[in-house]
Amino acid sequence: MPNISDVARRAKVSRTTVSRVLNGKDDVNEETRRRVLEAIRELNYRPSALARSLVKQKTDTIGVILSDITDPFFSRIIQGVEDVAHKFGYGIVYASMRWDPQIKHNYVNFLRSGRVDGLLMMGHTVGNEDYVREMVEERFPLVLVEYWINNLKANFIAIDNRGGGYLATRHLLGLGHRRIAHVAGHKNARVSQERLAGYRQALAEAGVSYDESLVVYSDFTTEGAIPVAKKLLSLPERPTAIFAANDLMAYGVIHAARELGLKVPRELAVVGYDDIELASLVTPPLTTIHQPRYEIGSMAAWSLIQQIENKEMQPTVTEFKTSLVIRESCGAK
Amino acid sequence: MPNISDVARRAKVSRTTVSRVLNGKDDVNEETRRRVLEAIRELNYRPSALARSLVKQKTDTIGVILSDITDPFFSRIIQGVEDVAHKFGYGIVYASMRWDPQIKHNYVNFLRSGRVDGLLMMGHTVGNEDYVREMVEERFPLVLVEYWINNLKANFIAIDNRGGGYLATRHLLGLGHRRIAHVAGHKNARVSQERLAGYRQALAEAGVSYDESLVVYSDFTTEGAIPVAKKLLSLPERPTAIFAANDLMAYGVIHAARELGLKVPRELAVVGYDDIELASLVTPPLTTIHQPRYEIGSMAAWSLIQQIENKEMQPTVTEFKTSLVIRESCGAK
DNA sequence: CTGTTAGCGCGTTCAA
DNA sequence: TTGAACGCGCTAACAG
């Protein structure tokens, strides 16, 4: 790969002049510029982003760390992030940590060591995440999505997960269900705890006592939810409704029910969470919790870029609300 | 952010010694090493990957450019890629180009300018891709997945898309269908052409003449497929079967059929393509074309890393075969 | 075992 | 309008 010196030599100018042309400065003689551009083309020269970033201390790249890149929940969020980032001239780097706190930490270190100007993190794990605190203290540009940590002066895009869990459960209660099970998300995920908390809150308000045996954990995938759903549905006193912590698992629940010969929604009501694109399009259309995902993504990216380009920005907490979308999986319609 | 000189100063050694400790060389006095490590900890020092990459001419990162990061088709492929890459100590950077050749080209340039050691490209677009040829000629480590370009001595992981299209269509023909429509993929995608070619081949072999009005293009999404499917299903002489170029669109077709009051599979047979996880789990379970996606991903990553670490490797073409998975969406079962 | 020197490829003063 | 010199943060070659 040719470098800037090769170009300079060929164009018979100094490296500085080549650099000027490269960066579109206007204090370059037209004829000189022409020669430089020609040399660049002839050599098929491509400036090293690495070297440039090193000297400018800027990579024009933002890192996105998420729990699972294959989760359709992220698809619209990512679109929002990409649209905004591109508009501002940033590239994006994704890292998928699969709910593994160790992989997550590794990726944070990987990306932080000069590879990106800032970090967008979504999919928060349980446990020691002091390094997140450190990043905030060191004023490393950072946006945390989905969650909100007390006493941490950072930029948050919060989603009302507890409220969502509450809405979902109350809907089932309103339909007369009393024996309502919950297929929770990944044990390592904070959102699991929050949605579970919303579920418990709704039960408590309705005077339904909490039955631990009705709550099982899975991993936010359809395949993972099937066995645990079967366990729930084989309980001596079978639940009449199940709230799944995301849509993929809701389909796992429905699949399990079908295998056991139960009709949804007649014999089992199911509520999901996320409102992924497919939720309205497959059978049965899913009653679920909707979140403004595109807006969340674009807002997160915008907020991060603001931080990067203006270090003085105040940390803010933006909370997005969720809403219940009633379709056919609980027979309410 | 502290740098290596700060550490050196604090530990009262030279930068070189710090570098030695950092890179785990064993020719360092134990006491010295201890001091250095302590200084590193005290300063919370993190070496700059940028600077390191610049001097080593190695980033330990591979780039993955794909058509649409939100497409579940890629989920298992990505898992395969990640597993292998991590095993070999590489990080991964994804870029999603959404079938836009311009964005794709931009991303190639973005990543090639020193940000990655090699590139994995999947989701090939139609049109001028001479820069891909250039990369091959410049011996830039590269693996192309899904497609196979004649006269290009590069590393290919091909998938028999034509064969898949053929299998799908022949299955429908075998069930007695003669009026078979095709919802093709994105017009910019090479795989669309290939699957379409397989479709045409099967029709030709069965003596069914090709009817252009039965082929419509969409964008590989469920939402996108719904309107075009409705158009097909509103034709004066309605098709009795539809082969969709991926599973997401197959669900779009099924949704459209339902909206028009048509029962699947009784009044319309549907075949998909990809065998995404959900395909077996939602109603109706989809008859579709299966591809060994995890293996494709891991093989692609392995092959790329071989190229990166051993420049002498011969370009190879590996072709993965597809297979038909019969479920319930065409009533064959 | 350790330090000095050089250089990776570029941008940015400062003078000329 | 152009170039020389310096430095971004790090590793590698060589000497001691």
Side-chain angles (χ1 to χ4, degrees):
Chain A
M1 280 266 291
N3 63 23
I4 199 172
S5 300
D6 298 325
V7 176
R9 212 168 303 125
R10 178 154 198 133
K12 300 197 196 312
V13 295
S14 73
R15 295 178 348 198
T16 310
T17 301
V18 177
S19 173
R20 285 199 181 93
V21 173
L22 247 31
N23 293 287
K25 312 277 187 200
D26 54 359
D27 55 348
V28 178
N29 182 290
E30 262 321 308
E31 162 60 14
T32 314
R33 178 192 304 276
R34 212 194 40 69
R35 279 215 322 278
V36 170
L37 288 176
E38 191 177 321
I40 288 176
R41 202 161 23 73
E42 285 171 356
L43 293 173
N44 194 15
Y45 164 75
R46 191 191 331 276
S48 156
L50 232 46
R52 174 176 285 173
S53 296
L54 183 60
V55 50
K56 298 194 72 164
Q57 300 290 70
K58 181 98 167 45
T59 62
D60 293 325
T61 305
I62 67 181
V64 176
I65 294 186
L66 31 72
S67 48
D68 181 359
I69 205 167
T70 70
D71 188 331
F73 164 68
F74 289 116
S75 65
R76 296 232 71 212
I77 293 188
I78 286 176
Q79 281 176 25
V81 172
E82 287 188 346
D83 286 350
V84 172
H86 289 165
K87 192 165 296 168
F88 283 82
Y90 286 80
I92 304 176
V93 156
Y94 299 96
S96 175
M97 48 93 171
R98 304 203 214 165
W99 294 116
D100 182 328
Q102 187 56 53
I103 296 183
K104 180 176 177 183
H105 197 161
N106 290 347
Y107 262 124
V108 170
N109 286 334
F110 179 77
L111 293 175
R112 267 200 75 186
S113 51
R115 287 177 220 261
V116 299
D117 294 335
L119 228 39
L120 208 60
M121 296 178 63
M122 13 200 195
H124 295 275
T125 45
V126 172
N128 187 333
E129 299 207 331
D130 285 348
Y131 62 93
V132 175
R133 273 211 142 63
E134 268 179 26
M135 293 170 75
V136 174
E137 279 159 15
E138 295 172 15
R139 316 196 112 257
F140 184 81
L142 183 66
V143 170
L144 301 166
V145 178
E146 261 188 343
Y147 194 72
W148 176 31
I149 302 175
N150 275 319
N151 309 320
L152 190 57
K153 279 236 162 306
N155 243 283
F156 291 100
I157 309 285
I159 311 177
D160 185 11
N161 279 298
R162 187 188 176 111
Y166 176 83
L167 279 181
T169 311
R170 210 187 47 180
H171 178 60
L172 291 169
L173 287 162
L175 294 173
H177 295 279
R178 283 299 172 269
R179 202 156 168 74
I180 303 171
H182 178 45
V183 178
H186 206 292
K187 271 214 164 146
N188 285 347
R190 299 244 171 179
V191 293
S192 305
Q193 302 179 328
E194 300 208 301
R195 292 176 192 172
L196 173 60
Y199 159 84
R200 294 189 65 163
Q201 182 186 340
L203 291 184
E205 279 186 15
V208 176
S209 66
Y210 174 65
D211 180 350
E212 211 177 0
S213 69
L214 288 181
V215 173
V216 294
Y217 284 85
S218 183
D219 64 352
F220 286 128
T221 73
T222 305
E223 302 77 22
I226 294 174
V228 298
K230 281 190 180 162
K231 224 178 66 183
L232 285 175
L233 295 174
S234 309
L235 247 31
E237 203 178 339
R238 212 175 58 209
T240 61
I242 296 185
F243 162 41
N246 77 345
D247 289 347
L248 291 180
M249 296 198 298
Y251 284 112
V253 169
I254 291 171
H255 188 260
R258 201 161 43 217
E259 287 205 341
L260 296 177
L262 296 170
K263 300 257 184 271
V264 174
R266 196 140 31 97
E267 296 165 275
L268 179 74
V270 178
V271 180
Y273 204 111
D274 282 350
D275 196 19
I276 61 177
E277 274 67 26
L278 233 40
S280 63
L281 301 173
V282 299
T283 313
L286 211 57
T287 292
T288 186
I289 301 296
H290 176 85
Q291 317 171 57
R293 294 185 289 144
Y294 185 88
E295 288 72 20
I296 290 170
S298 51
M299 156 80 92
W302 184 84
S303 171
L304 181 60
I305 292 170
Q306 292 310 304
Q307 267 186 82
I308 291 172
E309 302 189 344
N310 164 19
K311 296 282 185 181
E312 304 315 315
M313 202 195 165
Q314 289 302 311
T316 59
V317 176
T318 311
E319 187 175 60
F320 283 93
K321 288 293 177 190
T322 54
S323 55
L324 177 71
V325 182
I326 298 176
R327 298 207 181 91
E328 300 173 22
S329 60
C330 340
K333 185 177 166 180
Chain B
M1 279 267 290
N3 63 24
I4 199 171
S5 299
D6 298 325
V7 176
R9 211 169 303 126
R10 177 152 199 136
K12 300 197 198 311
V13 295
S14 72
R15 293 178 343 197
T16 310
T17 300
V18 177
S19 173
R20 286 198 181 93
V21 172
L22 248 30
N23 292 287
K25 312 278 187 197
D26 52 359
D27 55 348
V28 179
N29 181 289
E30 263 320 308
E31 162 61 14
T32 313
R33 178 191 306 275
R34 212 193 43 67
R35 279 216 321 279
V36 170
L37 288 175
E38 191 178 319
I40 288 176
R41 203 160 24 73
E42 286 171 356
L43 294 172
N44 195 14
Y45 164 74
R46 192 192 330 275
S48 158
L50 231 47
R52 175 177 286 171
S53 297
L54 182 60
V55 52
K56 298 194 75 160
Q57 300 289 68
K58 180 97 168 51
T59 62
D60 292 325
T61 306
I62 66 180
V64 176
I65 295 186
L66 31 73
S67 48
D68 181 0
I69 205 167
T70 70
D71 188 331
F73 165 68
F74 290 116
S75 65
R76 296 232 71 214
I77 294 187
I78 286 176
Q79 281 177 25
V81 172
E82 287 188 347
D83 286 349
V84 171
H86 288 165
K87 192 165 299 167
F88 283 83
Y90 285 80
I92 304 177
V93 157
Y94 299 95
S96 175
M97 49 92 170
R98 304 201 213 165
W99 295 115
D100 182 328
Q102 187 57 52
I103 295 184
K104 180 176 177 183
H105 197 159
N106 290 348
Y107 262 124
V108 170
N109 286 334
F110 179 76
L111 292 176
R112 267 200 74 186
S113 52
R115 287 177 221 261
V116 298
D117 294 334
L119 229 39
L120 208 61
M121 297 178 63
M122 12 198 196
H124 296 274
T125 44
V126 173
N128 187 332
E129 299 207 330
D130 285 349
Y131 62 92
V132 176
R133 272 212 143 64
E134 268 179 27
M135 293 170 75
V136 175
E137 280 160 15
E138 296 172 15
R139 316 197 111 257
F140 183 81
L142 184 65
V143 171
L144 301 166
V145 177
E146 262 189 342
Y147 194 71
W148 176 31
I149 302 175
N150 276 320
N151 310 320
L152 189 57
K153 280 233 162 306
N155 243 281
F156 291 101
I157 310 285
I159 311 178
D160 186 11
N161 278 299
R162 188 187 175 111
Y166 177 83
L167 278 181
T169 312
R170 210 188 47 181
H171 178 62
L172 291 169
L173 288 162
L175 293 174
H177 295 280
R178 284 297 172 272
R179 201 154 169 76
I180 303 172
H182 178 47
V183 178
H186 206 291
K187 271 212 164 147
N188 285 347
R190 299 244 170 179
V191 293
S192 304
Q193 302 179 329
E194 299 209 301
R195 292 174 191 174
L196 174 60
Y199 160 84
R200 295 190 63 162
Q201 181 186 340
L203 290 185
E205 279 186 13
V208 175
S209 66
Y210 175 66
D211 180 349
E212 211 176 2
S213 69
L214 288 181
V215 173
V216 295
Y217 285 85
S218 183
D219 64 352
F220 286 128
T221 74
T222 305
E223 301 77 21
I226 294 174
V228 298
K230 281 190 179 161
K231 223 178 70 185
L232 284 175
L233 295 174
S234 309
L235 247 33
E237 204 178 339
R238 212 176 57 209
T240 62
I242 295 184
F243 161 42
N246 77 345
D247 290 346
L248 290 180
M249 295 198 298
Y251 284 112
V253 169
I254 292 171
H255 189 260
R258 202 160 44 216
E259 286 205 341
L260 297 177
L262 296 170
K263 299 257 184 272
V264 174
R266 193 136 37 93
E267 296 165 273
L268 180 74
V270 177
V271 180
Y273 204 111
D274 282 349
D275 196 17
I276 61 176
E277 274 67 28
L278 234 39
S280 64
L281 302 174
V282 299
T283 312
L286 211 56
T287 292
T288 185
I289 301 296
H290 177 85
Q291 318 171 57
R293 296 185 288 145
Y294 185 88
E295 289 72 20
I296 290 169
S298 51
M299 155 81 91
W302 184 85
S303 170
L304 181 60
I305 292 171
Q306 292 309 304
Q307 268 186 82
I308 291 172
E309 301 189 345
N310 165 19
K311 296 283 186 182
E312 304 314 315
M313 204 197 164
Q314 289 302 313
T316 59
V317 176
T318 310
E319 187 174 60
F320 283 91
K321 289 294 178 189
T322 54
S323 56
L324 178 72
V325 182
I326 299 177
R327 298 208 181 91
E328 300 172 23
S329 60
C330 344
K333 185 176 166 183

